């Protein structure tokens, strides 16, 4: 609930309450003899007048108006009830209509303080507001509960032992009090009494251990399940998603937010449910032993709730800001490490240090503020607890002196007070943590709900493909630059059994055409056909087994050379591995390594030279015997005949080459020349040389102004992950 924003509301309620009390004056003789019931009846009669008054505001009725009316109406009745139960004998609850006019002001002041305590305070100065505010927890809680329900057997067993542990813990103080009363009456300390106390303690310890172990098991299984779901969903997202979300943010979801979400339900159930059951059972027992004393002791509960409400709102807001600051710091570190060569070339070390120092200083300010508020609220909690404890001891001394309770009852009550106090603290703190951890999953659920924009519902999986590719009037524009088309009405063929080369200056559209053929993106208009069938009709995994791309600087994964070449192929013969490696020119350097095929390539293949990484990637592609092999600057001078050999040996059926090397281009069967996103020439290398057109100018280095092609996939992603 937020504090009503209308400035007229407090004054309007005060005037309406005064009018209601004037109207209730004739009923004072009727209500006063009813005691506590009369006080609450007076509040019930005032409430309609206050509620109607909130609708008289000239502007839109504030969202907290109803809560304000109920608080104002109930405050005098609650005070009167406490006064009747805890005050001196004969003290009546008192009606507000018969009290001095000053009590009306006190009532509204107390109600205003209650509303202020319940309202969410603003963030501190200097702390940035988070977009959209603090994440809403209810939706996250429902999703976390649905995830937990999949492990309902473990959860049910944990709840069973939780109930047994609660029974054992509750029976301990009760048995202790009975033993003390028996000693006071002269019955002495018997073996049976000691056995009962020991049995209650042993049962509590045993069942608590089982409960804790099961909740830890539940947390581990939820972590495995949610991490797998999130990773499986993310790897199927389109490229625009990864270019718009920094890698550090995704990593933070796995390393920080997934564990927090997975501990929300187990820890919440373990702490909240146990503490709630114990607080209710122990509180009921306290009321049965000494009602007035119990009411005084339980006065700590509303005060703790109000204080925790303020602390919770503050903590959620600060933690959200802290998470964003940590993500910015991690993203900056990741970017600096990835671009360390560029930093060294331009002598930007000091600038990067200053940026990182600024990010760390911002984190430190937030941490200091969080710790300062934690210390303050801890002090408030302890002062409240101490004040209530002193009042209880003073009142219990009076009751014991007057003979209303026995020493055994007093000891049992004090033990119960310690228990209920600790359980209330755990309940309030645990609820705060539960909401915070549940709210942390908001971004995770958004990722899981996100649908890829690309259509991957194709079903065609023909047993054989010829590898004939056709671009039919294809146009494409990148989302970030919609006014500048990269491809404009492009049409050309890549024939089966031939090596076709895409030629053009940087920015002419070559990499974009390759991305469309790989279905990394879909054309804005026109179609890309494979054997006469549009690419979206093919099954997603089948298509990427048949259309394989090898880039100039390919990506290898941590593992051995064998694992990288056989990536994605479960059943692969040794002879096929060797054939592919030999054809790619990788066999010589593999045999020269100390561990051969089992050599670890390191992260991103960093232990291999650039040429060796390219040979491994070529072997990985040829092992699949693709219908269409795409070589994006993957051939050097001296390798120009390799593509033709692969066609003759059946390792590939069609080869599309993107290159700027004349020797590689001359070895192609056909050339497709792109200029500013359009096809300007097609033909054999000899034919295009004779025409002295765009291809000849390209070879001579003329006309080097390219079109507005967007950066490649790799450079786009790097730009998207830059520092804010």
């Amino acid at each position: 609930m937020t504090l009503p924003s209308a400035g007229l509301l407090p004054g309007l309620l005060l005037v309406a309450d005064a009018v209601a009390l004037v109207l209730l004056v004739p009923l004072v003789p009727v209500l006063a003899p009813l005691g506590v019931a009369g006080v609450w009846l007076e509040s019930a009669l005032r409430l309609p007048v206050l509620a109607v008054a909130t609708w008289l505001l000239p502007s839109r009725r504030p969202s907290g108006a109803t809560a304000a009316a109920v608080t104002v109406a109930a405050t005098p009745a609650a005070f009167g009830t406490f006064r009747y139960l805890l005050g001196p004998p004969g003290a009546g609850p008192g009606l507000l209509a018969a009290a001095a006019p000053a009590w009306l002001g006190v009532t509204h002041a107390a109600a205003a303080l209650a509303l202020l305590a319940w309202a969410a305070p603003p963030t501190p100065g200097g702390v940035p507001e988070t977009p959209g505010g603090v994440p809403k927890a209810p939706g996250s809680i429902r999703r976390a509960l649905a995830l937990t329900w999949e492990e309902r057997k473990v959860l049910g067993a944990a709840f069973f032992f939780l109930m047994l542990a609660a029974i054992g813990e509750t029976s301990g103080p009760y048995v202790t009090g009975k033993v003390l009363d028996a000693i006071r009456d002269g019955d002495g300390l018997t073996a049976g009494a000691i056995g009962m106390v020991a049995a209650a303690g042993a049962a509590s310890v045993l069942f608590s251990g089982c409960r804790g172990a099961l909740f830890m098991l539940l947390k581990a299984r939820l972590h495995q399940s949610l991490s797998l779901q999130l990773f499986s969903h993310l790897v199927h997202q389109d490229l625009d998603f990864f270019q718009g979300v920094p890698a550090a943010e995704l990593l933070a979801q796995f390393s920080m937010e997934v564990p927090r979400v997975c501990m929300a339900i187990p820890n919440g159930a373990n702490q909240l449910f146990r503490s709630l059951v114990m607080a209710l059972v122990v509180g009921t027992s306290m009321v049965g032993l000494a009602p007035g004393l119990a009411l005084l002791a339980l006065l700590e509960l509303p005060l703790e709730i109000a204080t925790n409400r303020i602390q919770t709102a503050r903590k959620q807001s600060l933690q959200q800001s802290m998470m964003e600051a940590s993500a910015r710091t991690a993203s900056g570190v990741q970017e600096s490490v990835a671009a360390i060569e560029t930093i060294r070339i331009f002598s930007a070390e000091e600038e990067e240090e200053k940026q990182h120092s600024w990010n760390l200083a911002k984190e430190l300010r937030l941490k200091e503020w969080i710790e300062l508020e934690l210390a303050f609220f801890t002090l408030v909690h302890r002062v409240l607890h101490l004040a209530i404890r002193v009042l209880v001891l003073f009142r219990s001394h009076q009751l014991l002196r007057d003979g209303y309770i026995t020493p055994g009852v007093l000891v049992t009550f004090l033990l119960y007070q310690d228990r209920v106090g600790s359980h209330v603290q755990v309940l309030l703190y645990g609820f705060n943590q539960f909401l915070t951890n549940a709210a942390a999953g908001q971004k995770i659920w958004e990722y899981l709900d996100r649908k890829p924009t690309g259509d991957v519902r194709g079903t065609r999986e023909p047993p054989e493909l010829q590898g004939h590719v056709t671009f039919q009037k294809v146009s494409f524009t990148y989302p970030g630059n919609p006014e500048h088309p990269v491809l404009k009405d492009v049409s050309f063929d890549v024939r089966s059994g031939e090596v076709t080369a895409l030629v053009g200056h940087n920015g002419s559209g070559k990499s974009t055409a390759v991305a469309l053929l790989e279905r990394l993106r879909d054309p804005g208009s026109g179609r890309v056909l494979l054997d006469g069938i549009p690419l979206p009709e093919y099954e997603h995994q089948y298509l990427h087994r048949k259309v394989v791309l090898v880039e100039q600087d390919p990506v290898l994964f941590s593992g051995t050379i064998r694992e990288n070449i056989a990536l994605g192929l479960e059943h692969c013969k040794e002879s096929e591995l060797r054939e592919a490696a030999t054809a790619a020119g990788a066999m010589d350097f593999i045999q020269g390594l100390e561990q051969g095929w089992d050599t670890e390539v390191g992260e991103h293949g960093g232990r291999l030279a650039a040429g060796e990484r390219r040979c491994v990637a070529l072997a990985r592609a040829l092992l699949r015997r693709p219908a269409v092999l795409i070589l994006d600057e993957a051939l050097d001078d001296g390798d120009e005949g390799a593509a033709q050999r692969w066609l003759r040996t059946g390792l590939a059926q069609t080869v599309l080459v993107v290159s700027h090397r004349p020797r590689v281009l001359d070895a192609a069967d056909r050339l497709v020349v792109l200029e500013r996103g359009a096809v300007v020439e097609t033909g054999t290398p000899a034919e295009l040389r004779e025409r002295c057109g765009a291809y000849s100018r390209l070879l001579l280095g003329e006309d080097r102004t390219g079109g507005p092609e967007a950066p490649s996939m790799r450079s786009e992603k790097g730009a998207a992950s830059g520092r804010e």
Side-chain angles (χ1 to χ4, degrees):
M1 191 202 78
T2 57
L3 185 66
S5 58
L8 294 177
L9 182 60
L12 184 62
L13 289 177
L14 181 61
V15 173
D17 205 8
V19 173
L21 292 175
V22 171
L23 297 176
L24 288 174
V25 169
L27 297 178
V28 170
V30 179
L31 298 176
L34 299 178
V36 176
V39 172
W40 285 100
L41 183 57
E42 180 191 45
S43 294
L45 294 174
R46 291 165 53 227
L47 181 59
V49 179
L50 296 171
V52 170
T54 61
W55 291 95
L56 300 179
L57 292 171
S59 58
R60 184 177 60 86
R61 185 172 183 266
S63 59
T66 300
V70 172
T71 303
V72 169
T75 299
F79 175 77
T81 303
F82 273 92
R83 182 172 181 270
Y84 174 75
L85 295 174
L86 301 177
L95 295 171
L96 187 60
W103 283 103
L104 180 62
V106 173
T107 296
H108 282 261
L113 289 175
L115 291 171
L116 281 170
W118 192 249
T123 55
V127 177
E129 290 283 355
T130 57
V134 178
K136 301 298 183 182
S140 297
I141 293 175
R142 288 193 295 270
R143 300 290 293 268
L145 287 173
L147 178 69
T148 308
W149 184 247
E150 299 175 4
E151 302 292 340
R152 51 187 173 273
K153 294 182 180 179
V154 179
L155 182 63
F159 268 112
F160 174 73
F161 283 105
L162 186 150
M163 295 299 298
L164 293 179
I167 293 172
E169 187 175 347
T170 307
S171 61
Y174 178 79
V175 172
T176 303
K178 289 299 182 181
V179 170
L180 290 176
D181 280 340
I183 295 175
R184 176 176 175 272
D185 294 338
D187 295 339
L189 190 63
T190 64
I194 296 176
M196 286 193 301
V197 175
S204 176
V205 171
L206 176 63
F207 295 137
S208 294
C210 295
R211 176 205 68 206
L214 286 169
F215 276 118
M216 289 179 63
L217 175 62
L218 176 62
K219 188 190 306 183
R221 298 184 69 162
L222 291 178
H223 186 276
Q224 179 188 22
S225 176
L226 184 57
S227 296
L228 181 59
Q229 288 185 33
L230 181 59
F231 183 81
S232 299
H233 196 77
L234 289 179
V235 296
H236 290 92
Q237 296 298 316
D238 49 87
L239 289 180
D240 290 336
F241 170 79
F242 292 101
Q243 292 163 8
V245 179
E249 180 177 329
L250 297 178
L251 182 61
Q253 298 300 318
F254 284 97
S255 62
M256 297 173 58
E257 305 311 307
V258 167
R260 290 177 63 185
V261 173
C262 293
M263 74 170 58
I265 297 300
N267 285 9
N270 191 9
Q271 294 180 357
L272 297 181
F273 187 77
R274 169 178 172 269
S275 298
L276 179 62
V277 171
M278 291 298 300
L280 291 176
V281 172
V282 174
T284 303
S285 301
M286 291 171 64
V287 172
L289 291 172
L293 201 60
L295 189 60
L296 181 60
L298 295 177
L299 182 62
E300 183 180 359
L301 182 60
L303 298 177
E304 289 284 355
I305 290 176
T307 307
N308 260 274
R309 167 60 185 168
I310 301 174
Q311 184 180 8
T312 300
R314 302 286 304 179
K315 188 173 182 179
Q316 287 183 346
S317 178
L318 288 170
Q319 283 188 336
Q320 181 69 12
S321 299
M322 184 68 192
M323 185 180 70
E324 293 180 356
S326 298
R328 282 193 293 269
T329 302
S331 178
V333 171
Q334 184 182 32
E335 183 186 53
S336 298
V337 171
I340 189 64
E341 293 183 1
T342 304
I343 293 172
R344 189 64 51 81
I345 291 171
F346 291 97
S347 300
E349 292 90 350
E350 292 186 3
E351 181 180 348
E352 292 297 314
E353 289 176 6
K354 290 179 181 178
Q355 179 68 34
H356 187 59
S357 175
W358 187 86
N359 289 336
L360 290 177
K362 196 169 187 178
E363 277 193 68
L364 180 60
R365 288 195 299 270
L366 287 170
K367 288 179 180 178
E368 289 175 345
W369 196 278
I370 291 174
E371 295 300 326
L372 181 62
E373 291 201 356
L374 177 60
F376 172 75
F377 282 108
T378 300
L379 177 62
V380 171
H381 288 310
R382 292 183 178 179
V383 169
L384 288 175
H385 181 71
L386 179 61
I388 296 298
R389 174 57 63 89
V390 171
L391 291 175
V392 169
L393 290 175
F394 179 76
R395 182 60 177 164
S396 62
H397 175 264
Q398 293 179 334
L399 295 176
L400 186 62
R401 181 190 59 194
D402 296 337
Y404 287 106
I405 59 175
T406 65
V409 170
L410 178 58
V411 170
T412 302
F413 184 89
L414 293 178
L415 290 174
Y416 275 148
Q417 185 186 6
D418 285 336
R419 296 289 178 88
V420 76
S422 63
H423 287 306
V424 169
Q425 289 286 344
V426 171
L427 193 62
L428 295 175
Y429 176 77
F431 187 69
N432 181 12
Q433 288 296 105
F434 174 71
L435 289 181
T436 302
N437 292 333
Q442 185 71 21
K443 202 69 176 178
I444 295 176
W445 309 126
E446 290 178 6
Y447 288 152
L448 290 176
D449 290 337
R450 189 184 188 279
K451 303 296 183 183
T453 56
D455 183 8
V456 293
R457 295 173 295 178
T459 57
R460 288 182 178 267
E461 296 185 53
E464 296 291 339
L465 284 178
Q466 298 300 316
H468 185 90
V469 176
T470 304
F471 278 66
Q472 288 185 349
K473 297 184 178 299
V474 172
S475 297
F476 179 82
T477 303
Y478 281 96
N481 197 12
E483 298 179 356
H484 297 85
V486 182
L487 295 178
K488 294 172 286 189
D489 221 19
V490 169
S491 297
F492 64 87
D493 288 325
V494 180
R495 299 171 184 172
S496 177
E498 290 185 356
V499 177
T500 302
L502 278 180
V503 187
H505 290 297
N506 290 336
S508 60
K510 304 187 301 297
S511 295
T512 301
V514 169
L516 296 179
L517 180 54
E518 267 286 307
R519 276 217 75 195
L520 300 178
R521 297 184 180 276
D522 289 325
S525 63
R527 298 189 303 172
V528 181
L529 308 178
L530 177 59
D531 285 2
I533 299 172
L535 294 185
E537 296 186 17
Y538 287 99
E539 197 275 331
H540 177 72
Q541 294 183 351
Y542 172 85
L543 177 65
H544 286 88
R545 287 196 303 267
K546 297 299 184 179
V547 181
V548 180
L549 169 66
V550 180
E551 298 177 289
Q552 182 179 14
D553 188 15
V555 176
L556 301 184
F557 297 92
S558 298
T560 65
I561 293 177
R562 182 188 303 275
E563 291 169 346
N564 272 275
I565 294 179
L567 181 67
L569 299 178
E570 296 181 358
H571 306 290
C572 181
K573 298 178 181 179
E574 185 72 18
S575 59
E576 294 174 338
L577 274 173
R578 292 182 175 276
E579 181 186 11
T582 301
M587 183 61 75
D588 291 340
F589 89 83
I590 292 176
Q591 292 177 340
L593 297 173
E594 183 178 351
Q595 297 181 349
W597 289 89
D598 297 323
T599 301
E600 292 284 340
V601 301
E603 186 177 2
H604 301 302
R607 295 183 181 179
L608 301 181
E612 293 172 341
R613 288 197 299 271
R614 189 158 56 247
C615 288
V616 171
L618 286 170
R620 181 170 59 191
L622 295 174
L623 182 61
R624 285 153 177 74
R625 296 182 178 268
V628 179
L629 176 62
I630 307 171
L631 304 175
D632 190 354
E633 302 288 356
L635 294 179
D636 294 330
D637 289 334
D639 298 333
E640 61 271 12
Q644 296 288 356
R645 290 198 305 271
W646 298 335
L647 290 176
R648 289 195 300 269
T649 57
L651 291 174
Q653 294 176 263
T654 302
V655 178
L656 176 64
V657 175
V658 177
S659 180
H660 66 280
R661 299 177 181 274
R663 291 178 61 181
V664 174
L665 299 178
D666 284 342
D669 296 304
R670 294 180 67 252
L671 300 180
V672 177
V673 183
L674 295 175
E675 192 172 88
R676 295 183 177 88
V679 176
V680 293
E681 283 185 331
T682 59
T684 66
E687 291 173 349
L688 297 187
R689 284 178 182 273
E690 292 177 359
R691 293 179 189 175
C692 297
Y695 180 62
S696 297
R697 293 196 303 270
L698 179 67
L699 295 180
L700 294 174
E702 299 175 358
D703 190 20
R704 293 189 178 277
T705 57
E709 183 183 9
S712 67
M713 305 297 109
R714 192 183 309 107
S715 59
E716 274 188 352
K717 187 170 182 180
S721 62
R723 185 183 298 107
E724 296 178 2

